[in-house]
Each structure stands twice: as C-alpha cells, then as structure tokens.
Amino acid sequence: MVSIKDVARLAGTSFKTVSRVINDDPAVREETRGKVLKAIGELGYRPNSAARTMRSQRSGVIGFISDRVTTQPHAGDILRGAQQVADAHDKVLMVVNIDRDAGFCHRQRALDMLLERRVEGLLYACDYHREVELPREMGMVPSVLANGFAPGGKVPTFLPDEQRAAREATRLLLDQGHRRIAYLGLNPRLAAAALRLAGYRQVLEEAGIGVDEALIQPALVGAPDGDERSTVEGAIDALLASSPRPTAILCGQDSTAMQLYLALACRGLCVGRDLAVASFDDQRPISTFLTPGLTTMRLPHLEMGQQAMHCLLAGPQEPGIVRLPFVRVERQSHRVAGMPSHPSLSESAVTDGL
C-alpha cells in the first residue's frame, strides 16, 4: 500500500508538506503543490479516511436511511436530489435500505452501522407520504425527514404540498371550461388522500360550483401495504350513470388514471374526446406512454431530497414542516375538443410532449 512517505520521497518534499497539500493548505507554493500532486497521481495514493476523521473529528459522511425509497422507481428521486447536494459539498452519502416488514432489529442494525462510521447527520426518507416513528438515535446527530412526518415534529421535515397540488389540478380543469369534474380518490388510509380531496373541494366551492358528492368516488380500498384493491370499474359505472355525467375526471394518482383510460375504452369512450383527465405524481412510464399523454402534477421528490440535504448541511435547525409544491406537467389529456376554455394564471407549470 502506498504511504504518504512514498509520495514525499518521489516528490522530494517532507511528508508534512504532502499532508498540507492533501488538506488544501493555501500556504503551499504552487510549484511544490504541483510536484506533490504529480507524485500522488503516479503512485495512485489514496489518503487514509479514518486517520483524517480522527484529526478533524469530521467524517465527511452523511447517512441516508431509505425506508423503501430505493425500491420504488419514482421515490428514488429523493435519493438523487440528496446525492446531488452531498456531491456539491464534497460529502459522501452512505445509503442503507430498511424494510418495515423486516422488523425493529433490521432497522437497528442499519442505524448502528451508520453511527459507528461517525456520520455527520442522518436523512430519513420514506417511499410515500406517511407517518413514521423515528428511531431515538436520530436525536444523537443532526437529522431531517423527507416524505414522511413524525409525531411531535422532532426534526425538520420536508413534505409534498398535496392540497396545493389538488387546487391547481382542479383549477386547470375549470380553466378548460369543465364544471362537472369528478374525483377518483386515493386510498382513504393514505395521508395524502384527505389533503388532495380537500384541495379539490376548496377550488370548486371557491368557483361557486359546489361539490356534488356523487362525483367523488374511491378508486382504492384496503391496507396500502397489504390487501389494497382497485374499485375503479365500479366507480366509473357510477360516474357515467350520474346526470349530467362529468366532462372531466381528476384521478388521485397516475396508476388510477391508467385504469381509467382502459375502463373508458371498454365502454367506447376516449380520453381527450369524450372526457378530460388529469392526475397526480407523474409516474414514468405511465404518464408518458398513455395516449393522449397524461396531464399530471409531478411529485417534488427531487426537490425534497435537495432541500432536506441543504438543511442538514446548514447546521442545527429548528423542527418544522416545509411543504414543497408539485410541478404541473401539461400533456394532452386535460383538453377536450369543443370545450370553451377560460385560461388563468397558474402557480407553476411545464409542458411535456406537446
């Protein structure tokens, strides 16, 4: 193994000078620095991270506790956002994936491993917006929570702004001229379900239209992590039987919208011709593979990861909740030929696939 003394011998300097170059001491002459860096490159020297940690009392490592985030394709953007910020600050992100089904011992081993490596902070991220019981060890180092909330709000928390997203999606359909807007909701056991429904109700009431309870139908029932099952088929039949029937449907999530497309096709109806559809999450490839392309509210997973990591690296912060806005992604599904539109200013929007 190449040592710092080997580098010093090749560069013709003392090992203390090599150490100063490695630690980016500005007092080192550029000529000397060049010789040392050349020697490091030729020998393939790698500094001893354990020794550097002992000297500086800082490991440069951030622990990322993935509560199924790494096993979910769309939630993985939380990790990507955190990694971007960690890289920009020359920090190493150590990721451990825990599984609720594996029990307490599995999570405890993961935490012990991170703390044994003297992580400078912990970022706990959930696969979907839900309540989580934080391990007590998170009180031992600076910690933040993303895409989940804990009783008592003990750490800075970053959540998607579900209610605001539902307001904007409903307003978009109103702006397209729709007044009979149905809602196929999330599983009522999910934290986001009540918030998205509240946003939908709020906009219709503010518009003076009022809420027709017959137009609100559940699309999923049962335990989200267990026997969850779809009720889309029955919901569609109920909506189509209402009088007058809806001209637009807001879906609680993209997978429900996909089922809706298929159910309507089986009944001889077509999205974009007979009904407008909008949704939430922007789950790829669902949102882009559907025809017409699905207009949806993109979850701010990337932004949650970025802001949570920025918060962690900024030093001690007061506990509190930061709600991040979704991004509206307009494709074609929210438009129906012949509907008189009423455009208004939007809160945030991008166009995709137009």
Side-chain angles (χ1 to χ4, degrees):
M1 180 180 293
V2 178
S3 70
I4 194 171
K5 291 184 178 180
D6 295 326
V7 174
R9 189 177 301 112
L10 181 60
T13 66
S14 68
F15 75 89
K16 289 185 177 180
T17 298
V18 175
S19 177
R20 289 166 63 193
V21 171
I22 293 171
N23 289 288
D24 203 25
D25 187 337
V28 178
R29 292 167 48 193
E30 286 304 313
E31 181 182 354
T32 302
R33 187 186 305 277
K35 290 179 180 179
V36 171
L37 292 176
K38 182 181 178 182
I40 288 174
E42 290 181 5
L43 295 174
Y45 171 73
R46 295 291 181 271
N48 187 317
S49 59
R52 295 177 71 180
T53 298
M54 291 180 65
R55 288 194 299 270
S56 66
Q57 296 299 306
R58 298 186 68 84
S59 66
V61 178
I62 303 295
F64 185 100
I65 304 171
S66 161
D67 196 337
R68 294 187 177 178
V69 166
T70 55
T71 63
Q72 302 296 323
H74 59 287
D77 273 349
I78 300 176
L79 173 58
R80 187 161 66 92
Q83 183 72 67
Q84 290 174 352
V85 176
D87 288 347
H89 287 80
D90 198 26
K91 300 292 184 182
V92 174
L93 204 61
M94 181 172 288
V95 182
V96 295
N97 189 68
I98 62 175
D99 193 320
R100 296 187 299 279
D101 295 337
F104 172 81
C105 291
H106 174 74
R107 187 177 78 167
Q108 192 62 46
R109 284 197 300 271
L111 283 162
D112 289 344
M113 182 188 72
L114 292 174
L115 293 174
E116 286 169 3
R117 283 155 180 78
R118 299 186 180 182
V119 294
E120 295 180 12
L122 291 170
L123 194 165
Y124 192 115
C126 301
D127 51 348
Y128 63 89
H129 184 175
R130 58 183 169 82
E131 184 175 337
V132 62
E133 182 180 352
L134 292 179
R136 60 178 178 80
E137 286 84 357
M138 289 186 68
M140 300 170 62
V141 293
S143 300
V144 295
L145 177 59
N147 211 29
F149 57 95
K154 299 177 182 178
V155 299
T157 299
F158 296 83
L159 293 173
D161 196 339
E162 311 280 3
Q163 191 164 339
R164 176 179 173 181
R167 290 200 305 266
E168 187 173 348
T170 307
R171 191 179 299 115
L172 173 64
L173 294 172
L174 285 175
D175 291 346
Q176 291 296 311
H178 299 283
R179 293 300 178 265
R180 293 283 289 173
I181 303 173
Y183 181 66
L184 289 180
L186 288 170
N187 189 319
R189 299 191 188 187
L190 296 177
L195 295 170
R196 292 184 183 181
L197 179 56
Y200 160 84
R201 288 180 176 277
Q202 183 180 5
V203 169
L204 292 182
E205 290 167 356
E206 289 173 352
I209 296 173
V211 178
D212 185 344
E213 298 298 332
L215 296 184
I216 301 175
Q217 297 287 333
L220 292 163
V221 295
D225 295 324
D227 61 350
E228 187 177 61
R229 62 190 184 280
S230 171
T231 57
V232 169
E233 289 289 338
I236 294 301
D237 287 337
L239 292 176
L240 295 179
S242 62
S243 182
R245 77 182 191 187
T247 61
I249 300 179
L250 178 60
C251 297
Q253 60 184 10
D254 293 344
S255 58
T256 295
M258 179 176 66
Q259 295 178 68
L260 173 61
Y261 272 60
L262 297 173
L264 290 174
C266 290
R267 291 160 175 78
L269 299 173
C270 178
V271 174
R273 184 191 68 195
D274 303 297
L275 279 161
V277 173
S279 184
F280 297 87
D281 299 348
D282 197 26
Q283 294 182 8
R284 307 296 182 97
I286 293 174
S287 56
T288 51
F289 279 13
L290 289 173
T291 302
L294 181 61
T295 292
T296 186
M297 303 297 297
R298 180 184 298 158
L299 275 162
H301 283 138
L302 184 72
E303 294 80 2
M304 278 192 286
Q306 291 171 335
Q307 292 209 26
M309 183 59 70
H310 276 303
C311 176
L312 194 59
L313 296 178
Q317 304 288 326
E318 289 295 321
I321 294 177
V322 176
R323 299 187 189 276
L324 302 179
F326 289 55
V327 175
R328 192 175 82 207
V329 183
E330 292 188 22
R331 296 186 179 97
Q332 298 87 23
S333 67
H334 69 290
R335 298 189 179 94
V336 173
M339 289 294 298
S341 62
H342 303 279
S344 64
L345 293 176
S346 64
E347 296 176 38
S348 61
V350 298
T351 56
D352 186 1
L354 296 179

